[in-house]
Amino acid sequence: SSLNICISIYTNCICTINIYIHEVLSMTKNDRAYRIADRLYWIFIENTHPSYLNDYIEEDPDNPQGTRNTERGRELFNEIESFVKGTL
């Protein structure tokens, strides 16, 4: 039934969150800050209008399937990471 599917999905989400929390708590402060900053940065990128994405990321010539941060993207990431480090 759809209720069983919802309960299963909920249980899987809770397990995933618990694993993530355990991983984060076992990290150093710098590792936690990097991981949190990375997620916040990609949330920002994923919600940025496509016409502005080139301000933050560009194609990576060393990895035809990938991207890399532009200078502005690196500055934004570093600012987020610095804020997170100061908050932890």
Side-chain angles (χ1 to χ4, degrees):
S1 80
S2 60
L3 178 59
N4 287 338
I5 292 171
C6 288
I7 290 171
S8 177
I9 291 170
Y10 174 79
T11 302
N12 288 339
C13 288
I14 294 298
C15 288
T16 301
I17 290 168
N18 284 337
I19 291 168
Y20 177 78
I21 290 170
H22 177 67
E23 288 175 6
V24 169
L25 291 176
S26 66
M27 294 178 179
T28 67
K29 178 181 174 180
N30 285 343
D31 289 341
R32 284 194 312 267
Y34 176 86
R35 183 127 179 216
I36 293 167
D38 186 60
R39 185 65 192 125
L40 291 174
Y41 178 78
W42 282 103
I43 288 170
F44 172 81
I45 293 299
E46 291 164 357
N47 288 283
T48 297
H49 190 276
S51 63
Y52 296 107
L53 282 177
N54 289 337
D55 290 344
Y56 301 97
I57 58 173
E58 61 189 3
E59 291 182 16
D60 185 348
D62 298 326
N63 180 1
Q65 315 274 312
T67 60
R68 67 181 182 189
N69 292 337
T70 62
E71 184 174 342
R72 187 173 185 185
R74 286 187 300 274
E75 289 171 355
L76 175 61
F77 180 86
N78 291 337
E79 188 173 336
I80 294 170
E81 186 178 33
S82 177
F83 173 78
V84 172
K85 281 180 183 176
T87 304
L88 292 178

